[in-house]
């Protein structure tokens, strides 16, 4: 193989890898969505308003209100410490219910409301029957990596 | 009693798996065939024992023995019998048992098929397979035992997750596992080749059909999962870059790369280390997929309840397998320096190189996106998730590149192509593609990726069609038959090539389906009262009424919709909102009407308790069925490819002068290539089509 051809192959590979690398890293930061808790949301500074985040929490009982004849819902989401009002427009998933865990994606705004267009209800294969749910509630999901450490 | 028998059988299987690792190695060390034979019998017996375990579990399902904890968790007396049987792989423990059972079956099959033809590597293969087997059996017996009993005995089971009560879902996991586990055989062959030092092309020939079979099952599994998500989850989409979808997609990408690069080794004896690397990577990704799904560390539709012990075990097992396989590869690869080097950037070798590069880049992209959130969490940074836009922006250009390569790859000669020959091959398709681009612009398509994608599809389709036309006409003239028969003759002369091209046609069909159903989807979400109607693209839907409905194990509401085009009533659709009484779970049942190969897709995610209104989600997905039709064509292509293998075997038994059938008016392709059987078609095609003659 002549030197020139080898160079040509190497250069073409570099172009492909470089192009893809640019695509990956150029888009990575933009498309990361941070998970936060309601407690963190309420402390957001104004420069955080309007930035897309995901909030995980429990849907507060008796807080769910449907705005009649629209696709809007409002409810409160809590992590036990803080409670945030959520305004949602769209179709909530089947497993979305009061008193259950949910993840909402959207942004916190100057009106101190969380605006969301996507709800992910937490569901696992191993759901519990009603009696057990009443008794224990969902146990917090243990962080796998934390369990690797010795306490 | 029966369940204890099953449990005992699986415990014995673990002991035998240990024997399967040790005895072939001892046999090799002491040069005593009897030890190797013991290993071989252990493998067969293992299959029998794990089958007993499977049967014992199924027996408990069918006799509704809820004293078995796992049966209690995934079944119910009201469940239709079909889902009672399938309940076995409805959860974590049973899926692992199914996985091991498939593994033991494949291992036994491989030992039977290849025992005579590959005697030197079989001891290693058995030892390797038994290692994987032991890992899974340890996991089953110590950390996720499906044979465990509970006391007091519950009166009834907790029911199978309603989302899984669907035919596609019953078949989807077994097909995925057939794919995942199917890759273990080529992997073990590769490892055996490394251990035994027999690093020629034998292992590749022995494993090609295994890889094709595994690839086929993986493809079917992924497509079924997509179809299930499409109508059962009610999103109207079939791919969401969910971590668990990615877990199955990554080994698929690498297996596809492997299937292509293997051909380079077959024909040109290049890429030897690379091929070993790819197949080891593919199976490792299957194991990583298991790790991701089964350890419960990813939150997704598929995640199972978290059990840290399992996670640690799977991680440990995975690390052991990765170190063993890649370590061996590194130590042995010095032996494998390829003597042949690439001649030119414009050659089929180079196209294959870029094909592999693109597939690997695609895999790495998915890998980073899937594992980055885990990494940040492990390092105690913020919790993050990587959104679909990331995957889409990176994936589209890579996919376009791959489709383009798919169009030129099979037609560019090995070694070196001249500019002249390229012109002959691609000038007309290039012009057709430009014509297509103009047409799409006039037709009003403005989306840049849709335009680029459709233009590339046009180009590739034109290349393939022209090639088919030339082949058919050539054989029609030669044999004095019709063009169609000419085409069939061409197929008979070279089934493998045409089967490969058929798979490529399937990819084209699928891509057109993906482009239209995602970019040209019409979606409406609104509140409707009975009597109201709304437009949906060229169609109208009208809610007639809402009423109660019930099934064996669910109750709920149903809506009646009329679907119109203009003033004509096309059909009536009845989506449902169900509530499964045992598990207290609601589900949304989709109603679909097919228009050509697109869908009108309706769901009612919410109905007012008094039945006065419903939340309606209406979608028009043009050409969405092309996604699965394309998958079907790909599957047929691969099946033909697998079958031609057996035909070649027959022709080897009754040798016929195959090469001399090709026209002899031109010089035979020179050098060592003549010796290689798979090059017959190259010689033949050089004859048919001077455009591709090597210069």
């Amino acid at each position: 193989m002549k030197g020139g051809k080898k160079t040509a192959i190497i250069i073409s590979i570099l172009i492909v890898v470089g192009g893809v690398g640019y695509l990956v890293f150029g888009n990575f930061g933009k498309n990361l969505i941070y998970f936060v808790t309601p407690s963190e949301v309420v402390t957001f500074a104004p420069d955080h308003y309007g930035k897309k985040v995901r909030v995980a929490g429990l849907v507060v009982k008796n807080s769910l209100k449907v705005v009649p004849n629209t696709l809007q819902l409002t409810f409160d989401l809590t992590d036990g410490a803080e409670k945030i009002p959520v305004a949602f427009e769209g179709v909530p998933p089947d497993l979305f219910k009061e008193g259950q865990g949910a993840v909402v994606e959207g942004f916190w705004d100057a009106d101190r409301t969380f605006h969301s267009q996507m709800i992910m209800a937490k569901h696992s294969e191993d759901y519990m029957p009603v009696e057990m749910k009443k008794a224990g509630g969902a146990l917090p999901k243990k962080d796998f990596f934390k369990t690797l450490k010795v306490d | 009693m029966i369940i204890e028998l099953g449990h005992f059988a699986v415990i014995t299987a673990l002991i035998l798996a240990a024997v399967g690792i040790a005895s072939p190695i001892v046999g090799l060390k002491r040069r005593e065939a009897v030890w190797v034979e013991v290993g071989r019998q252990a493998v067969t017996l293992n299959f029998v024992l794990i089958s007993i375990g499977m049967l014992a579990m199924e027996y408990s399902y069918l006799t509704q023995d809820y004293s078995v904890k796992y049966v209690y968790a995934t079944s119910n007396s009201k469940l239709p019998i079909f889902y009672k049987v399938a309940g076995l792989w409805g959860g974590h423990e049973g899926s692992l048992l199914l996985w091991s059972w498939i593994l033991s079956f494949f291992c036994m099959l491989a030992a039977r098929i290849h025992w005579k033809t590959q005697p030197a590597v079989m001891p290693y293969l058995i030892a390797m397979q038994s290692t994987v087997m032991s890992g899974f059996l340890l996991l089953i017996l110590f950390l996720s035992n499906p044979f465990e009993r509970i006391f007091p005995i519950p009166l009834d089971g907790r029911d199978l997750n309603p989302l899984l009560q669907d035919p596609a879902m019953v078949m989807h996991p077994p097909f995925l596992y057939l794919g995942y586990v199917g890759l273990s055989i080529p992997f073990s062959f590769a490892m055996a080749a490394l251990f035994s030092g027999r690093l020629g092309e034998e292992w590749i020939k022995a494993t090609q059909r295994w890889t094709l079979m595994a690839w086929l099952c993986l493809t079917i599994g992924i497509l079924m999962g997509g179809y299930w998500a499409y109508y059962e989850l009610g999103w109207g989409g079939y791919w969401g870059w969910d971590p668990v979808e990615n877990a199955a997609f990554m080994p698929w990408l690498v297996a596809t790369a492997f299937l292509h690069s293997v051909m380079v080794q077959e024909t040109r004896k290049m890429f030897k280390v690379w091929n070993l690397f790819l197949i080891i990577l593919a199976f490792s990704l299957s194991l990583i997929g298991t790790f991701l799904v089964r350890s419960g560390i990813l939150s997704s539709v598929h995640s199972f309840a978290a059990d840290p012990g399992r996670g640690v075990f799977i991680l440990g097992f995975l690390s052991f397998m990765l170190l063993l396989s890649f370590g061996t590869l590194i130590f042995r690869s010095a032996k494998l320096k390829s003597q042949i080097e690439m001649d030119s950037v414009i050659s089929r070798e180079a196209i294959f190189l870029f094909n592999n590069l693109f597939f690997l880049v695609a895999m790495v992209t998915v890998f980073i996106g899937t594992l980055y959130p885990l990494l940040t969490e492990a390092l105690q940074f913020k919790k993050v998730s990587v959104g679909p836009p990331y995957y889409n922006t990176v994936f589209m250009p890579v996919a376009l590149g791959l489709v383009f390569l798919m169009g030129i790859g099979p037609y560019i000669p090995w070694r070196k192509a001249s500019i002249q020959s390229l012109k002959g091959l691609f000038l007309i398709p290039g012009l057709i593609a430009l014509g297509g681009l103009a047409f799409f612009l006039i037709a009003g398509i403005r989306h840049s990726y849709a335009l680029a994608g459709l233009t590339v599809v046009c180009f590739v389709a034109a290349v393939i069609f022209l090639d088919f036309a030339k082949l058919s006409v050539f054989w029609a003239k030669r044999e004095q038959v019709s063009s169609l028969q000419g085409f069939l003759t061409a197929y008979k002369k070279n089934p493998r090539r045409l089967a490969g091209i058929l798979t490529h046609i399937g990819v084209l069909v699928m891509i057109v389906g993906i482009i239209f159903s995602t970019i040209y989807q019409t979606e409406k979400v609104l509140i409707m009262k009975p009597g109201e109607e709304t437009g949906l693209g060229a169609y109208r839907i009208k809610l007639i009424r809402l009423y109660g409905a019930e099934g064996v194990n669910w109750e709920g509401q149903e809506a009646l919709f009329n679907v119109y085009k203009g003033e004509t009533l096309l059909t009536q659709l009845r989506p449902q909102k169900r509530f499964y009484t045992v598990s207290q779970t609601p589900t949304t049942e989709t109603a679909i009407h097919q228009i050509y190969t697109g869908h009108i897709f309706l769901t009612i995610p919410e109905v007012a308790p008094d039945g006065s209104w419903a939340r309606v989600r209406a979608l028009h997905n043009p050409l969405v069925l092309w996604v699965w039709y394309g998958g079907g064509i790909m599957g047929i292509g691969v099946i033909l490819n697998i079958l031609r293998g057996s035909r070649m075997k027959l022709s080897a038994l009754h040798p016929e002068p195959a090469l001399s059938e090709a026209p002899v008016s031109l010089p035979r392709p020179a050098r060592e290539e003549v010796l290689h059987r798979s090059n017959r078609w190259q010689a033949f095609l050089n004859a048919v089509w001077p455009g591709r003659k090597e210069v």
Side-chain angles (χ1 to χ4, degrees), chain A residues 1-2 4-14 16-17 20-21 23-25 27-29 31-36 40 44 52 54 56 66-73 88-97 105 122-130 132-133 141-149, chain B residues 72 90-91 158-164 291 296-306 308 311-312 315 341-345 353-354 357-358 361 365 368-369 372 374 377-378 380 382-387 389-390 393-394 397-398 416 525-527 529 577 583-588 605-606 613 615 617:
Chain A
M1 176 155 57
K2 281 179 210 152
K5 274 154 196 165
K6 199 168 199 164
T7 325
I9 292 175
I10 291 169
I11 288 175
S12 344
I13 291 177
L14 283 180
V16 172
V17 172
V20 174
L23 282 172
V24 170
F25 293 104
N27 284 290
F28 206 63
N31 290 307
L32 282 185
I33 304 166
Y34 286 89
F35 276 102
V36 288
E40 285 173 301
F44 271 1
K52 198 185 256 182
R54 284 185 183 178
V66 180
V67 184
N69 290 326
T70 64
L71 294 169
Q72 284 156 18
L73 301 172
F88 171 78
E89 181 158 3
V91 181
D94 283 334
L95 298 176
F96 176 76
K97 250 195 278 184
E105 187 178 292
K122 282 196 167 176
H123 38 178
S124 90
E125 209 89 348
D126 213 4
Y127 53 88
M128 289 173 285
V130 206
M132 280 173 75
K133 232 182 252 165
K141 198 167 171 181
K142 271 192 190 160
D143 185 340
F144 166 70
F145 283 98
K146 280 178 196 151
T147 61
L148 286 177
K149 290 187 295 190
Chain B
Y72 158 71
R158 268 159 51 189
D159 204 2
L160 181 65
N161 186 338
L163 288 174
L164 304 181
F291 168 59
I297 55 170
L298 293 175
S299 318
S300 83
V301 189
H302 304 67
S303 288
F304 298 78
V312 174
L315 195 60
E341 289 189 317
M342 207 165 279
D343 292 326
S344 162
V345 191
L353 179 69
F354 281 100
L357 193 63
F358 275 61
V361 158
T365 310
I368 294 174
Y372 184 77
L374 289 182
E377 218 184 318
Q380 309 288 328
K382 289 258 180 189
K383 270 189 93 167
V384 296
S385 84
V386 181
Y390 156 74
T393 29
V394 184
V398 175
K416 189 177 189 324
V525 181
L526 69 172
I527 300 260
K529 288 180 184 150
K577 180 76 190 178
S583 56
Q584 301 274 307
T585 320
T587 67
T588 306
E606 197 183 346
W613 56 267
R615 232 175 252 280
R617 188 156 176 263

Side-chain angles (χ1 to χ4, degrees), chain B residues 200-221:
Chain B
E201 274 66 51
E202 287 166 62
W203 75 274
I204 281 194
K205 280 185 194 136
T207 58
Q208 230 170 19
R209 264 185 287 163
W210 280 102
T211 321
L212 281 169
M213 187 279 302
W215 185 91
L216 179 68
C217 294
L218 204 52
T219 311
I220 295 173

